């Protein structure tokens, strides 16, 4: 009897152990749900890394924060960021790799020259792309969404600012633009608007993305004797451009677009000859919303990349995408995600303007502010309230 009882006890214990092991295995499987993949090919090195790195760091910081809160319905986000160095061919190869990794959404490269050739591949794969800023060449893709201002709207805001300053006067406006489709297209659209106002269009100068010398462009701008120069000059080139303008005797201010508004640029230039558009807060601005972002960035070791408001745009790009994914889950796919994005009405909590999408509006932000340097405050400060583009 004792032997039989012992055997029964052993079997019962073994069965209990198997049951416990089975329960443990089920629990582990439940916790190890397949991650949601978000990917980007971006400029993490090279001449436009000053824009690409902060964007990727901002997005990665927000995603890490969400993952530490449990992810989305128990699914973590796997964020893959590949370096293309601003090379379109590398960007294409990276995009194909990300799609092979089953990326549900692609964050657009900060360079429109890299992003534009991706269109056919995105269309073939019905892939969702979310951009930190609008790129006009991408608008033919029905699965494209942009968080921040596009270049056309930004230069329209610049033109609207100039109208508020000149009143009834007819200024001469010259242009200095990077040679990308978005920049040149935006310039031409704004030229049509200011011609309708009777303004004089001065010199139209462009520069290649990998320029080393701006002196020929600056000499021609100086000869045109402009009242204003409207620019699409990225932060890395601004000291060379503005200091070159000073040496050439140009008194006209350079009023710049949103990819050239870093606080470090304002501080280096320290002049009232430079203004730039911001749609989202720069990390150095004193604001409760930015204080929270800085605190979280410090936790994840990314404060060193908070060099411009491109970091903020990366954060908001990820936040809007995550909000759509939460509406889309469970069993989110590209069609469900697109439907969720189309109903987006996202409050950025003070980091920038409200982000709203619809079938007819794929650029979430529609207004921005002009900033200028304030020597007394040792900071760039708003020169305007939020304003829209010149109609």
């Amino acid at each position: 009897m004792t032997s039989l009882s012992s055997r029964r006890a052993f079997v019962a214990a073994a069965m209990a152990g198997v049951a416990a092991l089975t329960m443990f295995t089920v629990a582990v499987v439940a916790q190890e749900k397949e991650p949601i993949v978000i990917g980007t090919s971006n400029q993490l090195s090279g001449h436009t890394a000053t824009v690409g790195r902060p964007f990727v760091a901002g997005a990665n910081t927000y995603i890490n924060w969400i993952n530490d809160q449990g992810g989305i319905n128990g699914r973590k986000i796997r964020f893959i960021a590949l370096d293309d160095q601003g090379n379109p061919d590398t960007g294409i190869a990276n995009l194909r790799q990300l799609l092979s990794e089953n990326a549900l959404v692609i964050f657009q490269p900060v360079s429109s020259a890299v992003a534009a050739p991706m269109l056919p591949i995105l269309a073939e794969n019905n892939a969702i792309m979310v951009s930190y800023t609008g790129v006009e060449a991408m608008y033919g893709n029905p699965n494209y969404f942009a968080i921040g201002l596009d270049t056309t709207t930004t230069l329209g805001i610049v033109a609207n600012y100039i109208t508020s300053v000149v009143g009834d006067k007819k200024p001469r406006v010259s242009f200095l633009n990077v040679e990308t489709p978005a920049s040149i297209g935006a310039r031409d659209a704004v030229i049509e608007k200011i011609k309708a106002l009777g303004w004089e269009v001065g010199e139209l100068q462009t520069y290649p993305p990998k320029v080393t010398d701006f002196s020929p462009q600056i000499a021609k701008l100086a000869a045109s004797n402009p009242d204003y120069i409207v620019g699409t000059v990225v932060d890395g080139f601004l000291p060379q451009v503005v200091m070159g303008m000073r040496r050439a005797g140009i008194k006209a201010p350079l009023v710049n677009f949103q990819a050239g508004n870093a606080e470090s640029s304002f501080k280096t230039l320290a002049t009232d000859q430079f203004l730039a558009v911001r749609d989202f807060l720069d990390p150095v601005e004193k604001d409760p919303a930015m204080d929270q972002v800085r605190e979280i960035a410090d936790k994840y070791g990314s404060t060193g990349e908070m060099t411009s408001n491109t970091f903020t745009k990366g954060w908001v790009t990820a936040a809007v995408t995550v909000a759509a994914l939460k509406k889309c889950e469970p069993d989110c796919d590209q069609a469900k995600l697109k439907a969720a994005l189309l109903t987006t009405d996202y409050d950025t909590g003070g980091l920038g303007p409200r982000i709203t999408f619809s079938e007819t509006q794929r650029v979430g932000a529609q207004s921005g502010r002009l900033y200028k340097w304030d020597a007394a405050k040792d900071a760039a400060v708003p020169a305007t309230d939020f304003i829209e583009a010149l109609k």
Side-chain angles (χ1 to χ4, degrees):
M1 291 293 292
T2 304
S3 176
L4 180 59
S5 298
S6 298
R7 285 198 299 272
R8 286 176 176 171
F10 175 80
V11 171
M15 291 296 289
V18 170
L21 178 61
T22 302
M23 290 175 64
F24 175 77
T25 303
V26 170
V28 170
V29 170
Q31 290 172 2
E32 293 179 353
K33 290 182 179 179
E34 184 178 355
I36 298 170
V37 180
I38 297 175
T40 186
S41 173
N42 238 299
Q43 289 75 72
L44 305 181
S45 62
H47 64 286
T48 50
T50 53
V51 184
R53 286 180 62 91
F55 167 75
V56 170
N60 192 47
T61 301
Y62 186 85
I63 289 169
N64 282 333
W65 184 49
I66 291 297
N67 279 340
D68 280 353
Q69 297 175 61
I72 301 171
N73 289 337
R75 296 180 68 185
K76 297 296 182 70
I77 300 171
R78 181 184 173 210
F79 183 46
I80 306 173
L82 303 177
D83 186 12
D84 57 41
Q85 297 182 318
N87 184 307
D89 292 335
T90 305
I92 292 287
N94 287 348
L95 176 60
R96 292 190 185 280
Q97 179 180 336
L98 293 169
L99 292 174
S100 73
E101 298 273 1
N102 297 317
L104 183 58
V105 58
I106 303 293
F107 288 167
Q108 183 191 299
V110 297
S111 169
S112 60
V114 177
M118 293 180 172
L119 274 174
I121 300 168
L122 292 166
E124 287 170 14
N125 291 273
N126 199 32
I128 302 291
M129 176 173 273
V130 181
S131 174
Y132 85 114
T133 193
V135 177
E136 292 82 348
M138 308 295 288
Y139 294 166
N141 182 348
N143 294 331
Y144 177 81
F145 298 85
I147 301 300
L149 293 167
D150 62 24
T151 307
T152 301
T153 306
T154 304
L155 295 193
I157 290 169
V158 169
N160 207 9
Y161 162 73
I162 295 174
T163 63
S164 71
V165 175
V166 301
D168 294 332
K169 296 179 181 178
K170 308 296 183 185
R172 180 185 296 114
V173 181
S174 293
F175 291 81
L176 177 60
N177 301 101
V178 62
E179 293 170 1
T180 64
S183 179
I184 301 305
R187 179 200 68 186
D188 293 345
V190 169
I191 285 173
E192 291 304 310
K193 292 181 185 297
I194 66 175
K195 280 182 176 178
L197 295 174
W199 296 3
E200 183 180 349
V201 178
E203 192 67 33
L204 306 181
Q205 285 298 302
T206 63
Y207 67 91
K210 295 184 179 181
V211 69
T212 56
D213 180 16
F214 283 90
S215 56
Q217 292 93 335
I218 290 171
K220 290 181 179 179
L221 288 170
S224 71
N225 192 29
D227 297 303
Y228 292 90
I229 299 172
V230 175
T232 53
V233 184
V234 297
D235 286 299
F237 296 144
L238 279 169
Q240 187 179 356
V241 169
V242 176
M243 292 174 185
M245 287 170 52
R246 287 175 178 169
R247 288 193 294 270
I250 296 175
K251 302 297 184 184
L254 171 65
V255 192
N256 205 34
F257 79 147
Q258 78 277 11
N261 62 32
E263 192 75 10
S264 58
S265 296
F266 277 103
K267 192 174 185 69
T268 299
L269 300 172
T271 176
D272 57 6
Q273 279 186 273
F274 176 72
L275 298 95
V277 175
R278 286 181 184 168
D279 42 9
F280 294 94
L281 293 178
D282 190 278
V284 302
E285 293 189 62
K286 294 177 173 58
D287 185 276
M290 186 52 66
D291 290 343
Q292 182 191 25
V293 173
R294 273 193 296 268
E295 181 180 341
I296 295 168
D298 184 59
K299 176 181 177 181
Y300 295 106
S302 55
T303 52
E305 297 292 351
M306 298 180 76
T307 54
S308 74
N309 78 342
T310 311
F311 183 98
T312 315
K313 289 184 179 183
W315 172 284
V316 175
T317 299
V320 170
T321 303
V322 166
L325 287 168
K326 286 180 178 179
K327 288 193 291 184
C328 183
E329 279 290 308
D331 302 321
C332 191
D333 59 20
Q334 289 167 326
K336 289 181 180 178
L337 179 57
K338 178 180 177 180
L341 283 166
L342 285 171
T343 60
T344 292
D345 184 12
Y346 184 82
D347 184 348
T348 62
L351 292 174
R354 199 173 193 89
I355 306 301
T356 305
F357 294 132
S358 69
E359 285 285 3
T360 57
Q361 182 174 307
R362 297 306 182 88
V363 179
Q366 291 293 306
S367 62
R369 292 183 291 187
L370 270 294
Y371 279 69
K372 64 181 180 180
W373 182 251
D374 187 319
K377 294 183 178 179
D378 193 36
V381 300
T384 68
D385 291 328
F386 277 96
I387 56 177
E388 296 185 349
L390 179 68
K391 303 299 183 183

